[in-house]
Structure formats: structure tokens, C-alpha cells
Amino acid sequence: MKISVIGTGYVGLVSGVGLAHHGHKVICVDIDEEKVNKINDSEPPIYEEGLEEMLEEVVSDGKLSATTDTLQSILDSEVTFICVGTPSKRDGSVDTSAVENAAKDISQALKEKDDYHVVCVKSTVTPGTTEGKVLPILEKSGKRVGDDFGLGMNPEFLREGVALNDFLDPDRIVIGGWDEKSRNKLEKIHEDFGAPKIMTDLRTAEMIKYASNALLATKISYANEISKICEKKGIDVYEVMDGVGLDHRINRDFLNAGCGFGGSCFPKDVKALRALAKEVGVTTRILDAVLSVNDEQPLHTIELLKEELGELKGKKIAVLGLTFKGGTDDVRETRALPMIEKLLKEGAEVVGYDPKGMENFSELIDEVEFDKGIKDALDSAEACIIQNDWSEFRSLESEDFDGMKNKVVVDARRILDPKDLSEEITYIGIGKGPVD
Ligand code: UDX
């Protein structure tokens, strides 16, 4: 099938490449000419595992091309996926302006199209948006939904860093449609994906996305709350969650206590769901708690450090890991930011290191010195905090800490095993309290 994809971020480009790999003819559309040229040169503008190789494959097979010309891409395709960003507004609600602008461009193209065309929102939008905001814009073309065009909503469940894998091997495919005809067209696109398909209406599809992300975030904040009790009772929360997670109704994933969740989705989606609830007069005690636990967890990490080091004023503290998780250069909502702000407020001298995130992080705060390697960052440090799970940090060994003035290691992602570390190192693991 001929498919156009508007937006070439990690959702749009990964989805486009994945669909082309499945044999569809894909046109990726972006306003950024530099991105378009890079894609046509088989150079992905973003890093995602396996993306470069697969982009090379589909571009050389003539299955995927990129353009800035939205109009032509609509005329030359039968289905269009809208994959543009939907960031948070100040009040936490969703900014759908990019989705609406994409819909306006599509609407212009529909004016000139005679054959049936399906428009499908993949961007994360709150329930009611596709029908309430996108549809009226499309009908400004003079065409009628149902007769002249179809309308769908097909949310993504892609994790950054492993997005291509998540696209090619999804747990489920959610297909929301205005009508049967729209749903059938979208189902056909996914006919050779083995995952179970949920065929539903537009707003149910929109809500499945939010309810999924909010529950994953809830699991994380729940684990973080339990971890604080464990710290006081000499229990290791990771052992607790190993036992809890074996219950098939619960499942072990996303119960890793740490310094909180970051990224472009969980914080944004939980806030958006809360804002929607407020709009419709529903109180959100659980979602409020999920967010407040998450705000507190980075600060709690510093409290654990202070329990060991005392005053932080004038002390060099190394923060290893600045991106919101390992395997990405993305610093959106990274827990490193509130953590470092707290350290600076306490008068500490902060150095940061991250394999890929230092440039992006330096745009968030300028009172931090960035070191070119772990060794430099740790040199003469009174303590270090491991904030994300890059493999470089997972493989740290005792001798890596030799340059420190004081060998205090706060493992805020529980990626080291203290049994492998020498006695000289004071290991503080989130959720692993000393035996009382
Ligand atoms: C998430 C969802 O997993 C994905 O399905 C959705 O489409 C987009 O948002 P992503 O934000 O890329 O994906 O990363 P993820 O791997 O889910 O981690 C999010 C954050 O939660 C990271 O900061 C991570 O460190 C943290 N996390 C994750 C925990 O603190 N504990 C866990 O057990 C899992």
C-alpha cells in the first residue's frame, strides 16, 4: 500500500521504515529539509538501534523516500499517518497545534483528491481529539468523512532506544476508526503483523495509549514508594519486586525503583490525562501521587547522599548519566536535572558525564562542568551518583573509583552489585537500606 507519514521523529521515521520493511511504499514528510535530505541519503537524523541498517535497506529498495512536499505525498498515497509531536502546555494539557497543522495540509490535498484516502493519527492525543479537532479540519476540504475519506487513530507504544524493535514486534496493535471501512484499511496495512489487534473507535484508541503509559508510570512510582519503606527496614526492594513480579497478574517489568521516570512520554502523558480529568471534573488522586512521587525521588536520592556525606557545600559530586535513560541522547524530563539543581542549591560543585547527552544537557543548565570521561568526572570527587543505565556505567569496577577523594557511590538505577565492589567503596543503592 502507498503510505505517507507526516513527521520524521522517532515515531514517524521508525514507523515509516518499519512499514517499508513490511513491503509498503512509504513517503516520509517533514518541514525540515535537512532531515529530509539525510533520510534520502539513508542517514537517520535520530539514533535508534537498527534504524540505520533498515533505512539503508528500504531506501535502496526504493520502498522509502522523504520529501517536504506534503501535498504531493498525499496525492501519491492512499493512507497518511500523522506522527508529529504533541508536547505539554504549561498547564500540562496537550499542545495539538502540530497535529492540527498537519491536518490542515492534508485537508488542502484532499480538495484535489478524488479517490478514497485514510487519515490516521499516530501522535499521542487525548480522547476526543481526533474526532473533535482533526475531523473538522479535514472536512474543510469539502470532502465528507466516510464517503470521501477515512479517519483512524493508531497509537504507538515505542520505547526510545528500542523503538524499531517495539514497532516490528508489538505486544498489540490498536486500531481506532471512524467507521468499519477506515478500520479495515488500517488492519490491511498491519495484516502480516502477528500481534493481536484491537479494533475499536477513535476515542477508545486514544485512551488505551494514555491509560497504558499512566499505568506504567504508576508501577514505577509504586516501586519507588515501596523502596523508601524498604530503605528504612533493611530490605532490598529489588528482591521484593522479584517476588511480586512473579505474579502473572502483576509482571516484573516497570517495577525497578530508581530516581524516577523521565522521557518525552510518561511525564507528559500523565499530566495530559490529569488535565483532561480536571476538564471533565474528575479528581485524580492516583495520577497526582504518581507525579509527586516522581518529583520527589531525585531529591530523595540527594537526601540519601547527605545521610552519608553530611553537608555538600564545596564538595565535588560527579553525576554519571544525564539523559533520561541509557541508550539515547534525549534529556527531556531527565531526573538528572532536578537532582543537579538540588546539589547546586546545597552548594556542591557538580561535574557531569554522559556518553551521548552532555551537549543536550548543557542547554538545560550552565553551572555544571562536563567531563570528557568517567575517570575525569570521578577524579577527586567526594561522591558520585549513577543516574542512568548506560552500559558504560553497568560495567564499572572498583578500580574505576580509585581517583575519588571519598569513595561514596549512590546507585540511583541499581545497576551495580555491591558484592562485586571492594570494601573501600561505600555503596548506597536506592531501595536497599542498611540492615537495621
Ligand atoms: C515509554 C513507554 O515505555 C513507551 O511504551 C511509550 O510509547 C513511550 O514512553 P520511553 O519513555 O522511551 O518509553 O522509555 P522507558 O524505557 O519506558 O523509560 C521511561 C523512564 O522510566 C526512564 O527514565 C526509565 O529510567 C524509567 N524507568 C523505567 C524506571 O524508573 N523504572 C522502570 O522499571 C522502568
Side-chain angles (χ1 to χ4, degrees), residues 177-217:
W178 166 268
D179 56 7
E180 206 58 37
K181 192 175 176 185
S182 307
R183 280 190 288 273
N184 291 343
K185 190 84 172 174
L186 294 172
E187 188 180 27
K188 188 149 176 52
I189 288 177
H190 298 92
E191 63 186 356
D192 56 352
F193 283 73
K197 295 180 180 72
I198 301 265
M199 309 302 285
T200 184
D201 59 66
L202 297 170
R203 50 186 64 197
T204 302
E206 290 162 332
M207 183 52 108
I208 288 171
K209 169 67 180 174
Y210 276 96
S212 297
N213 267 11
L215 182 55
L216 290 168

Side-chain angles (χ1 to χ4, degrees), residues 22-33:
H22 271 272
H24 298 290
K25 188 114 168 67
V26 177
I27 311 163
C28 288
V29 184
D30 204 292
I31 48 176
D32 182 334
E33 192 153 357

Side-chain angles (χ1 to χ4, degrees), residues 290-339:
V290 169
L291 290 168
S292 62
V293 166
N294 200 52
D295 288 341
E296 197 189 287
Q297 205 55 12
L299 312 181
H300 174 66
T301 308
I302 305 306
E303 289 312 311
L304 289 178
L305 175 62
K306 284 171 70 178
E307 279 169 24
E308 178 60 35
L309 267 196
E311 276 307 300
L312 301 181
K313 196 168 172 52
K315 292 177 181 172
K316 175 181 174 180
I317 310 293
V319 177
L320 300 182
L322 302 170
T323 54
F324 83 93
K325 66 175 183 177
T328 176
D329 64 355
D330 195 340
V331 294
R332 286 176 288 185
E333 298 289 330
T334 177
R335 296 296 83 191
L337 184 60
M339 198 181 278

Side-chain angles (χ1 to χ4, degrees), residues 10 156-161 166 209 213 216 220 224 238 252-266 269 324-325 335 387 389 413:
Y10 91 96
E156 49 80 19
F157 301 94
L158 310 180
R159 290 167 296 162
E160 278 193 43
D166 286 351
K209 169 67 180 174
N213 267 11
L216 290 168
I220 295 168
N224 285 333
Y238 274 64
R252 177 62 179 79
D253 291 350
F254 284 71
L255 287 174
N256 290 336
C259 50
F261 55 81
S264 61
C265 295
F266 284 163
D269 292 352
F324 83 93
K325 66 175 183 177
R335 296 296 83 191
Q387 191 282 139
D389 59 350
R413 291 291 175 199

Side-chain angles (χ1 to χ4, degrees), residues 2-3 27 71-78 113:
K2 289 186 184 154
I3 298 169
I27 311 163
L71 176 63
Q72 198 54 48
S73 76
I74 309 293
L75 298 177
D76 294 344
S77 61
E78 37 195 313
K113 254 201 111 159

Side-chain angles (χ1 to χ4, degrees), residues 11-12 15 19 81-84 120-125 152-156 167 190:
V11 174
S15 305
L19 289 169
F81 284 96
I82 298 177
C83 300
V84 293
C120 183
V121 175
K122 191 175 265 292
S123 304
T124 302
V125 291
M153 203 278 149
N154 166 231
E156 49 80 19
F167 182 86
H190 298 92

